Amino acid sequence: MTTLRVKDELLLQVEKPARYIGNEVNSVKKDLSKIDIRFAFCFPDVYEVGMSHLGMQILYYYLNERKDTYCERVFAPWLDMEQKMREHNIPLFALESQEDIKNFDFLGFTLQYEMCYTNVINLIDLAGIPIWSKDRGEEDPIICAGGPCAYNPEPLAHFIDFFYIGEGEASLGKVLDIYKVHKQEGGSRRAFLEKLLDVEGIYVPCFYDVYYNEDGTINRFVPNHPKAKTKIKKQIVKDLDSTYYPTHAIMPWIQTVHDRVVLEVFRGCIRGCRFCHAGFVYRPVREKSKDVLMKQASLLLENTGYEEISLASLSTSDYSQLEKFSEELLEVCRESKVNISLPSLRIDEFSLDLMGKVQEIRKSSLTFAPEAGTQRLRNVINKGITEEDIISGSRRAFEGGWDRVKLYFMIGLPTETEQDIEGISDLANKIVDTFYAIPKENRAKTVKVVVSSSCFVPKPFTPFQWEPQNTYQEFMDKQYFLKSKIKRKQIQYNYHDAIVSALEGMIARGDRKVGDVLYAAWKAGCKFDGWSELFEFSKWKKAFKETGIDPAFYASRRRAYDEILPWDHISVGVTKDFLKREHERAMKEEVTPNCRQFCENCGAKRFRGGICYES
Amino acid sequence: MKARLKFTKMGPMKFIGHLDLQRLFQRCIRRSHLPIEYSKGFNPHQYLYFALPLPLGATSEGEYLDMTLTDELEPEEIKNSLNAYLPEGINIQEVYILSDEMAVGMAAVDAAEYKIFIDKKTVPLHFMDAVNNFFNQSEILAEKQGKKGIKEVNIKEMIHEYTLDENDEQWIITLLLATGSKTNLKPETVIQQIYRDNNLEYKDCRVHIHRINIYSRKNDLFLPLSDIS
Ligand code: SF4
């Protein structure tokens, strides 16, 4: 039996001790004497959040496929556990071997959201490793990071030794191959990072210098090493059918956010909603074939014993073989008594029918994401959903017995006016009216329409990357305004405190100087900033004051098209020209057709795969 | 057919709570392809009956789980197919076939036996005398968590047996306590009261509770659940 790193007595004093014991069903155990590379896969949030993350499960098994590598998991200990660890001088350890990760070869962080950045810093510190990469010595692990937020690596550039830009399964293996030889030959840390300059998709921040203009914008971004590339190209897998996909999933000890088998159906999105980071950075769309999906589904269910399977993609309805695939999957699941969960469906006849067949969500709530209250603003953001779609979808659903509708909106979208905000409550009203227009005997007794609004955060690599974000005050004023417009008791309005979104907006488009704020905020005690109960803005304020950095410069400033953006040295395939074109169209309220209707030559074709080559 | 499984929960498995243990079993049963009976209708689920939840932090060598299977199987077959999928520390020791008219799960439980391990270094020298005195009272009053908050009750009748033992490092108290749907005395309640009576600070993380077995009462005899089938 594995000896636990933390004594039982301490574990019994913390909440959910099962977070820290490892050894779950399907976790990987390896003979350490046969391992060349020890990799700590770090998820900068708690166990339950990290274990729900598909990317982590994929990369965990992908890396462990290699005989020479042992990939183990690390999550952020919850506050009570961190306190115990600091009190008793227990450095951060990996779940599988329960050994301290400061002795590993690599720490790999996955960056899923900006609000976990102070946790990244905290984890490096908890591991007992110098926080700034320049301070690390030959004995310290190499610290790398990837994931969607790594497409703007600059805010964390001071802390991370190298970034991996793109999908890990594509070529992370190359890095390990190089490292293995390097380790055998006994080269220095710097020599290894220099070798990485030959690898596509790797960004080593220390080989680049940034010069600023007096107004704070970037003047020049220049390599300081002859081999450092001027553009770092995103790495992706071209063909999802032949790409590695795990047939197992680690069975978490405790209930997680998504406690089920997750089957990835396709990557990317054909739609091109102009606010959506994922929609641009994951281009082009690459689908798995139906047969491969069926095979993966059965293997995963067989090897986990889960009673539920969920289909993952940005927009399930856009899967080209959905009809045939759902039929077959339903068949298999009925037989083995497995529930199917179908997120991100567009609500049309087919989907409603499908949802009816999938017993589990029968007659629960229906979800629409119109994102904006008027057609004009929906055109600006290129959200191809009309009021008619929503009303008729709701009507059909109500007639089928549903009695709850959830609507998701964004506040603070570019060009938004008071009218657009009022449009949100108008739409909710119309749905309620639609319900009552149905004869009593053909519908449920009462209806509930839940309106949720989030705050728009402009993201890099989207057509809105040049747009100013609303200030905290503007967000709050708009939310109160909307609140005052919603009067009927059938409508419930949910909104969040905008302060976290404001901060997220600043970090998302941050440069290297934002790293100083992150550090100062961490010093002031910030961690788990994504957890509203732990978020303390006063600490961030202190950090701004200390570093002299003005968050408004990053969040609420309009950038000129010719300004050098902090992420300009990263290439995600989609070109700046295309983004500019899309931005101009947005201002003209013009919609752009989706990839299946018409190829707009966004630039993603250079990957030579996926939808751009569908005929 | 109905089957009763006796299993262990040892080592780090003591950190897994009762609900999580249930889910773990459900999934291991699915993987093992045991012909378990499912509920009918939407959301089919397995009917599993655990005899008595174990507190977080306690280990056990005598846990029980009842289930209904749709086919006749040999006990050995059930045991082996499940053990192949269960994690280290949870191990099916024995499988018993229940007669069809047997009540399953909690209904059969009347008592449970525990060993309590107390580190000698954490208590004063004369701790064991105090423990003896505690159990020898004609009336043993303890603060018990009732439905309407904490109240003081006489638990004398609920302690069927106690013995004291020691090794080099630990005092070991063995307790047979009334438990089940009607009366339920938790080992923590007893130990906490001993500490309270002696003005000692009780930290549950320092006292290890280990369950030995669960019993059913038949004609004044306590029979392990495994003997009732
Ligand atoms: S190149 Fe064309 S088809 Fe390919 S992702 Fe871009 S717009 Fe879509």
Side-chain angles (χ1 to χ4, degrees), chain B residues 193-223:
Chain B
Q193 195 58 43
I194 296 176
Y195 274 69
R196 212 175 280 136
D197 286 358
N198 288 284
N199 291 323
L200 290 172
E201 197 205 350
Y202 175 79
K203 272 200 174 163
D204 51 2
C205 58
R206 296 249 175 89
V207 175
H208 179 69
I209 297 173
H210 177 76
R211 185 138 81 201
I212 306 285
N213 217 333
I214 303 173
Y215 301 88
S216 189
R217 191 170 201 156
K218 274 226 168 120
N219 312 327
D220 273 344
L221 234 77
F222 287 110
L223 297 174

Short mmCIF file of all heavy atoms in Angstrom, two decimals, chain B residues 193-223:
data_model
loop_
_atom_site.label_atom_id
_atom_site.label_comp_id
_atom_site.label_asym_id
_atom_site.label_seq_id
_atom_site.Cartn_x
_atom_site.Cartn_y
_atom_site.Cartn_z
N GLN B 193 -16.77 10.94 25.68
CA GLN B 193 -17.25 11.11 27.05
C GLN B 193 -16.16 10.75 28.05
O GLN B 193 -16.00 11.41 29.07
CB GLN B 193 -18.52 10.28 27.29
CG GLN B 193 -19.27 10.66 28.54
CD GLN B 193 -19.68 12.13 28.53
OE1 GLN B 193 -20.14 12.66 27.52
NE2 GLN B 193 -19.47 12.83 29.65
N ILE B 194 -15.40 9.69 27.75
CA ILE B 194 -14.29 9.32 28.64
C ILE B 194 -13.31 10.49 28.74
O ILE B 194 -12.87 10.87 29.82
CB ILE B 194 -13.55 8.06 28.11
CG1 ILE B 194 -14.50 6.86 28.11
CG2 ILE B 194 -12.32 7.77 28.97
CD1 ILE B 194 -13.92 5.59 27.53
N TYR B 195 -12.99 11.06 27.61
CA TYR B 195 -12.06 12.20 27.59
C TYR B 195 -12.64 13.37 28.38
O TYR B 195 -11.96 14.01 29.17
CB TYR B 195 -11.77 12.64 26.14
CG TYR B 195 -10.63 11.86 25.50
CD1 TYR B 195 -10.78 10.52 25.18
CD2 TYR B 195 -9.42 12.49 25.22
CE1 TYR B 195 -9.75 9.81 24.60
CE2 TYR B 195 -8.37 11.79 24.63
CZ TYR B 195 -8.54 10.45 24.32
OH TYR B 195 -7.52 9.76 23.75
N ARG B 196 -13.92 13.63 28.16
CA ARG B 196 -14.57 14.76 28.82
C ARG B 196 -14.55 14.57 30.34
O ARG B 196 -14.19 15.48 31.07
CB ARG B 196 -16.02 14.83 28.31
CG ARG B 196 -16.57 16.25 28.24
CD ARG B 196 -17.96 16.25 27.60
NE ARG B 196 -17.91 16.19 26.15
CZ ARG B 196 -18.68 15.42 25.39
NH1 ARG B 196 -19.57 14.60 25.96
NH2 ARG B 196 -18.58 15.44 24.08
N ASP B 197 -14.89 13.35 30.76
CA ASP B 197 -14.93 13.07 32.21
C ASP B 197 -13.56 13.25 32.84
O ASP B 197 -13.44 13.48 34.03
CB ASP B 197 -15.42 11.64 32.46
CG ASP B 197 -16.92 11.52 32.22
OD1 ASP B 197 -17.53 12.55 31.89
OD2 ASP B 197 -17.46 10.40 32.36
N ASN B 198 -12.51 13.10 32.06
CA ASN B 198 -11.16 13.20 32.61
C ASN B 198 -10.48 14.51 32.25
O ASN B 198 -9.26 14.62 32.35
CB ASN B 198 -10.31 12.03 32.11
CG ASN B 198 -10.74 10.73 32.78
OD1 ASN B 198 -10.43 10.49 33.93
ND2 ASN B 198 -11.51 9.94 32.06
N ASN B 199 -11.27 15.45 31.80
CA ASN B 199 -10.75 16.77 31.43
C ASN B 199 -9.61 16.69 30.42
O ASN B 199 -8.62 17.39 30.51
CB ASN B 199 -10.25 17.52 32.67
CG ASN B 199 -11.42 17.91 33.54
OD1 ASN B 199 -12.49 18.27 33.03
ND2 ASN B 199 -11.24 17.79 34.84
N LEU B 200 -9.75 15.77 29.50
CA LEU B 200 -8.74 15.65 28.45
C LEU B 200 -9.29 16.21 27.16
O LEU B 200 -10.49 16.11 26.90
CB LEU B 200 -8.38 14.17 28.22
CG LEU B 200 -7.59 13.47 29.32
CD1 LEU B 200 -7.50 11.99 29.02
CD2 LEU B 200 -6.21 14.08 29.44
N GLU B 201 -8.39 16.77 26.38
CA GLU B 201 -8.85 17.31 25.11
C GLU B 201 -8.94 16.16 24.10
O GLU B 201 -7.97 15.45 23.86
CB GLU B 201 -7.86 18.37 24.60
CG GLU B 201 -8.46 19.24 23.52
CD GLU B 201 -7.39 19.84 22.61
OE1 GLU B 201 -6.20 19.74 22.94
OE2 GLU B 201 -7.77 20.37 21.58
N TYR B 202 -10.11 15.98 23.54
CA TYR B 202 -10.30 14.89 22.58
C TYR B 202 -10.10 15.39 21.16
O TYR B 202 -10.71 16.36 20.73
CB TYR B 202 -11.72 14.32 22.72
CG TYR B 202 -12.05 13.27 21.68
CD1 TYR B 202 -11.57 11.96 21.83
CD2 TYR B 202 -12.81 13.59 20.57
CE1 TYR B 202 -11.87 11.00 20.88
CE2 TYR B 202 -13.10 12.63 19.61
CZ TYR B 202 -12.63 11.34 19.77
OH TYR B 202 -12.91 10.39 18.83
N LYS B 203 -9.20 14.73 20.45
CA LYS B 203 -9.01 15.04 19.03
C LYS B 203 -9.23 13.75 18.26
O LYS B 203 -8.45 12.82 18.39
CB LYS B 203 -7.59 15.55 18.80
CG LYS B 203 -7.44 17.04 18.99
CD LYS B 203 -6.18 17.49 18.29
CE LYS B 203 -6.05 19.00 18.31
NZ LYS B 203 -4.70 19.43 18.01
N ASP B 204 -10.31 13.72 17.51
CA ASP B 204 -10.64 12.44 16.87
C ASP B 204 -9.54 11.97 15.91
O ASP B 204 -9.39 10.80 15.65
CB ASP B 204 -12.01 12.48 16.17
CG ASP B 204 -12.14 13.66 15.25
OD1 ASP B 204 -11.16 14.41 15.12
OD2 ASP B 204 -13.23 13.82 14.66
N CYS B 205 -8.74 12.92 15.43
CA CYS B 205 -7.69 12.51 14.50
C CYS B 205 -6.60 11.71 15.19
O CYS B 205 -5.80 11.04 14.56
CB CYS B 205 -7.12 13.74 13.81
SG CYS B 205 -6.45 14.93 14.97
N ARG B 206 -6.55 11.76 16.52
CA ARG B 206 -5.48 11.06 17.24
C ARG B 206 -5.93 9.68 17.72
O ARG B 206 -5.14 8.88 18.17
CB ARG B 206 -5.08 11.87 18.48
CG ARG B 206 -4.47 13.20 18.16
CD ARG B 206 -3.01 13.20 18.52
NE ARG B 206 -2.38 14.44 18.11
CZ ARG B 206 -2.34 15.53 18.88
NH1 ARG B 206 -2.84 15.49 20.09
NH2 ARG B 206 -1.76 16.61 18.43
N VAL B 207 -7.24 9.44 17.71
CA VAL B 207 -7.77 8.18 18.20
C VAL B 207 -8.24 7.37 17.00
O VAL B 207 -9.05 7.84 16.21
CB VAL B 207 -8.96 8.43 19.17
CG1 VAL B 207 -9.60 7.14 19.60
CG2 VAL B 207 -8.49 9.24 20.36
N HIS B 208 -7.70 6.18 16.87
CA HIS B 208 -8.09 5.42 15.69
C HIS B 208 -9.18 4.40 16.02
O HIS B 208 -9.06 3.62 16.95
CB HIS B 208 -6.87 4.71 15.10
CG HIS B 208 -7.24 3.91 13.89
ND1 HIS B 208 -7.64 4.50 12.72
CD2 HIS B 208 -7.35 2.57 13.70
CE1 HIS B 208 -7.95 3.55 11.84
NE2 HIS B 208 -7.79 2.38 12.42
N ILE B 209 -10.22 4.45 15.21
CA ILE B 209 -11.35 3.52 15.41
C ILE B 209 -11.32 2.46 14.32
O ILE B 209 -11.17 2.78 13.14
CB ILE B 209 -12.69 4.29 15.37
CG1 ILE B 209 -12.74 5.30 16.54
CG2 ILE B 209 -13.88 3.33 15.44
CD1 ILE B 209 -13.93 6.23 16.50
N HIS B 210 -11.45 1.24 14.73
CA HIS B 210 -11.43 0.13 13.77
C HIS B 210 -12.63 -0.76 14.06
O HIS B 210 -12.85 -1.18 15.19
CB HIS B 210 -10.12 -0.65 13.95
CG HIS B 210 -10.03 -1.85 13.07
ND1 HIS B 210 -9.76 -1.74 11.71
CD2 HIS B 210 -10.16 -3.17 13.34
CE1 HIS B 210 -9.73 -2.98 11.19
NE2 HIS B 210 -9.98 -3.85 12.15
N ARG B 211 -13.41 -1.02 13.03
CA ARG B 211 -14.57 -1.89 13.25
C ARG B 211 -14.18 -3.34 13.01
O ARG B 211 -13.56 -3.66 12.00
CB ARG B 211 -15.71 -1.47 12.32
CG ARG B 211 -16.98 -2.24 12.56
CD ARG B 211 -18.21 -1.37 12.52
NE ARG B 211 -18.66 -1.09 11.17
CZ ARG B 211 -19.44 -0.04 10.86
NH1 ARG B 211 -19.83 0.80 11.80
NH2 ARG B 211 -19.81 0.16 9.63
N ILE B 212 -14.59 -4.20 13.94
CA ILE B 212 -14.27 -5.62 13.83
C ILE B 212 -15.37 -6.37 13.09
O ILE B 212 -15.13 -7.14 12.18
CB ILE B 212 -14.12 -6.27 15.23
CG1 ILE B 212 -13.11 -5.50 16.07
CG2 ILE B 212 -13.77 -7.75 15.12
CD1 ILE B 212 -11.69 -5.74 15.69
N ASN B 213 -16.59 -6.10 13.54
CA ASN B 213 -17.70 -6.84 12.91
C ASN B 213 -19.04 -6.18 13.24
O ASN B 213 -19.12 -5.34 14.11
CB ASN B 213 -17.71 -8.30 13.39
CG ASN B 213 -18.10 -9.25 12.26
OD1 ASN B 213 -18.82 -8.85 11.34
ND2 ASN B 213 -17.65 -10.48 12.34
N ILE B 214 -20.04 -6.62 12.52
CA ILE B 214 -21.40 -6.13 12.76
C ILE B 214 -22.27 -7.34 13.09
O ILE B 214 -22.11 -8.41 12.48
CB ILE B 214 -21.94 -5.39 11.52
CG1 ILE B 214 -21.00 -4.24 11.16
CG2 ILE B 214 -23.36 -4.87 11.77
CD1 ILE B 214 -21.35 -3.55 9.86
N TYR B 215 -23.16 -7.18 14.06
CA TYR B 215 -23.90 -8.32 14.57
C TYR B 215 -25.41 -8.14 14.51
O TYR B 215 -25.92 -7.02 14.51
CB TYR B 215 -23.52 -8.60 16.03
CG TYR B 215 -22.06 -8.88 16.21
CD1 TYR B 215 -21.16 -7.85 16.42
CD2 TYR B 215 -21.58 -10.19 16.15
CE1 TYR B 215 -19.82 -8.10 16.59
CE2 TYR B 215 -20.23 -10.45 16.30
CZ TYR B 215 -19.35 -9.41 16.52
OH TYR B 215 -18.02 -9.66 16.67
N SER B 216 -26.04 -9.29 14.56
CA SER B 216 -27.49 -9.32 14.66
C SER B 216 -27.81 -10.15 15.91
O SER B 216 -27.09 -11.09 16.24
CB SER B 216 -28.05 -9.98 13.42
OG SER B 216 -29.43 -9.85 13.40
N ARG B 217 -28.86 -9.75 16.60
CA ARG B 217 -29.16 -10.43 17.85
C ARG B 217 -30.21 -11.51 17.61
O ARG B 217 -31.26 -11.26 17.03
CB ARG B 217 -29.69 -9.43 18.86
CG ARG B 217 -29.79 -9.97 20.26
CD ARG B 217 -30.10 -8.85 21.23
NE ARG B 217 -29.72 -9.24 22.57
CZ ARG B 217 -29.44 -8.38 23.52
NH1 ARG B 217 -29.47 -7.09 23.28
NH2 ARG B 217 -29.12 -8.81 24.74
N LYS B 218 -29.88 -12.73 18.06
CA LYS B 218 -30.85 -13.82 17.94
C LYS B 218 -30.85 -14.58 19.25
O LYS B 218 -29.84 -15.12 19.65
CB LYS B 218 -30.43 -14.76 16.79
CG LYS B 218 -30.93 -14.33 15.43
CD LYS B 218 -31.53 -15.53 14.67
CE LYS B 218 -32.28 -15.05 13.46
NZ LYS B 218 -31.76 -15.59 12.22
N ASN B 219 -31.98 -14.59 19.93
CA ASN B 219 -32.11 -15.28 21.20
C ASN B 219 -30.96 -14.95 22.15
O ASN B 219 -30.25 -15.84 22.62
CB ASN B 219 -32.16 -16.81 21.01
CG ASN B 219 -33.15 -17.19 19.93
OD1 ASN B 219 -34.17 -16.53 19.76
ND2 ASN B 219 -32.82 -18.23 19.20
N ASP B 220 -30.74 -13.66 22.39
CA ASP B 220 -29.70 -13.21 23.31
C ASP B 220 -28.28 -13.52 22.87
O ASP B 220 -27.34 -13.45 23.64
CB ASP B 220 -29.93 -13.78 24.72
CG ASP B 220 -30.85 -12.84 25.49
OD1 ASP B 220 -31.00 -11.69 25.03
OD2 ASP B 220 -31.38 -13.26 26.53
N LEU B 221 -28.14 -13.89 21.62
CA LEU B 221 -26.81 -14.17 21.10
C LEU B 221 -26.49 -13.17 20.00
O LEU B 221 -27.34 -12.87 19.18
CB LEU B 221 -26.79 -15.59 20.52
CG LEU B 221 -25.71 -16.51 21.05
CD1 LEU B 221 -26.10 -17.02 22.43
CD2 LEU B 221 -25.51 -17.65 20.08
N PHE B 222 -25.28 -12.66 20.02
CA PHE B 222 -24.89 -11.77 18.94
C PHE B 222 -24.18 -12.57 17.84
O PHE B 222 -23.10 -13.09 18.05
CB PHE B 222 -23.96 -10.66 19.45
CG PHE B 222 -24.69 -9.64 20.27
CD1 PHE B 222 -24.50 -9.56 21.65
CD2 PHE B 222 -25.59 -8.78 19.66
CE1 PHE B 222 -25.18 -8.62 22.40
CE2 PHE B 222 -26.28 -7.83 20.42
CZ PHE B 222 -26.08 -7.76 21.79
N LEU B 223 -24.84 -12.66 16.71
CA LEU B 223 -24.25 -13.39 15.60
C LEU B 223 -23.76 -12.41 14.54
O LEU B 223 -24.46 -11.46 14.20
CB LEU B 223 -25.30 -14.30 14.96
CG LEU B 223 -25.88 -15.40 15.84
CD1 LEU B 223 -27.00 -16.12 15.10
CD2 LEU B 223 -24.78 -16.38 16.25
#
